[in-house]
C-alpha cells in the first residue's frame, strides 16, 4: 500500500507574502515545520522565474515551482533547473499584445521602465527588473475595464486568454492555468516516490481559482481589507487573517489535526 503524504501549493502575493510589504515573517513558524518535515512546498505564482529564485533563496527553499500563472514549470536538476513550457513562448504573446494595444488602451510590463514597474508594484528597482524578465506571459494594466470583453475576443482569436490577478491582468495561452501545472507536478512527485500525495492549495485571487478547485484541501486567503474573492468550492477553508498570518494559521491547524 502506498504511503500518503502532503504536498502544498501556494500563491505568493497576498498569500504567503504580505500584500503591501511582501514580508513572509508571519509564516515563519509553519515554514520551519515544512522544511523540518521535508514537505514539498510548491510556489505557484504569476511571478517570473527570476523573481521566484530570489524568493526561494530567502525562504531557503529548493523545490519545483510554477511561474506566470501556470505557463511554465521549473524543476531542480544537477544542471540548474529543467524548464517545461505549458503554453506559448513570450515572443508570440508579446507580438499579440502589441497588436491589441493599437485598439485597446493597455500598458504591458515591457512598455514600462524598471522604475515604472517598481512604482506600480511597490517592488524595489532590482526586483522590478526581474519581474520584467518574462518567459511566457504579459502582465498589463487595462485603463478602461469596459474594453475587457473586446480584448478577450481578440485574445481568443489568437488562442490566448486573459486572467485577472491581484494587481494586474495577464495575457496568457488559452487553456493554460495553475491547475494543469499542478497536475503535472503531482504526477512528477508520485512517479518519483512510493507515495500518494494529498494536496492543499492556498491562494487569494481570481488567477488562483483553478488551483483551489483542483486541490483536496482548498484554502482561500482574504484580501488585505478582510474581504474574500467570490468563490464557491466544496470543502473550501476561509483563512481567518490576510496574507502570511492567515497562511500560517490554516496550515498549523491542518497539520495539528493529522
Amino acid at each position: 500500500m502506498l504511503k500518503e503524504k502532503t504536498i502544498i501549493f501556494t500563491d505568493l502575493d497576498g498569500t504567503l507574502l504580505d500584500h503591501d510589504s511582501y514580508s513572509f515573517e508571519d509564516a515563519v513558524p509553519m515554514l520551519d515545520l515544512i522544511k523540518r518535515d521535508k514537505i514539498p512546498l510548491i510556489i505557484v505564482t504569476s511571478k517570473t522565474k527570476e523573481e521566484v529564485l530570489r524568493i526561494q533563496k530567502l525562504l531557503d527553499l529548493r523545490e519545483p515551482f510554477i511561474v506566470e500563472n501556470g505557463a511554465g514549470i521549473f524543476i531542480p536538476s544537477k544542471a540548474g533547473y529543467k524548464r517545461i513550457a505549458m503554453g506559448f513562448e513570450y515572443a508570440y504573446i508579446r507580438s499579440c499584445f502589441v497588436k491589441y494595444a493599437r485598439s485597446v488602451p493597455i500598458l504591458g510590463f515591457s512598455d514600462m521602465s524598471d522604475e515604472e514597474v517598481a512604482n506600480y508594484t511597490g517592488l524595489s528597482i532590482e526586483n522590478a527588473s526581474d519581474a520584467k524578465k518574462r518567459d511566457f506571459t504579459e502582465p498589463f494594466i487595462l485603463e478602461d475595464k469596459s474594453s475587457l470583453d473586446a480584448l478577450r475576443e481578440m485574445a481568443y482569436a489568437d488562442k490566448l486568454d486573459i486572467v485577472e490577478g491581484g494587481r494586474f491582468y495577464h495575457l496568457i495561452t488559452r487553456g493554460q492555468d495553475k491547475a494543469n501545472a499542478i497536475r503535472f507536478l503531482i504526477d512528477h512527485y508520485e512517479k518519483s516516490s512510493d507515495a500518494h500525495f494529498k494536496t492543499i492549495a492556498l491562494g487569494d485571487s481570481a488567477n488562483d481559482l483553478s488551483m483551489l478547485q483542483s486541490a483536496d484541501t482548498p484554502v482561500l486567503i482574504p484580501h488585505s481589507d478582510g474581504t474574500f474573492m467570490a468563490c464557491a468550492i466544496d470543502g473550501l477553508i476561509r483563512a481567518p487573517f490576510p496574507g502570511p498570518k492567515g497562511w500560517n494559521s490554516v496550515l498549523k491547524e491542518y497539520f495539528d489535526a493529522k
Side-chain angles (χ1 to χ4, degrees), residues 32-43:
D32 287 345
L33 180 143
I34 287 164
K35 283 183 276 190
R36 185 195 72 206
D37 292 353
K38 296 182 170 57
I39 300 165
L41 176 61
I42 310 299
I43 290 170

Side-chain angles (χ1 to χ4, degrees), residues 14-33:
T15 301
L16 177 54
L17 304 181
D18 182 85
H19 180 271
D20 298 314
S21 68
Y22 295 102
S23 169
F24 57 83
E25 184 177 352
D26 287 336
V28 166
M30 286 309 302
L31 286 168
D32 287 345
L33 180 143

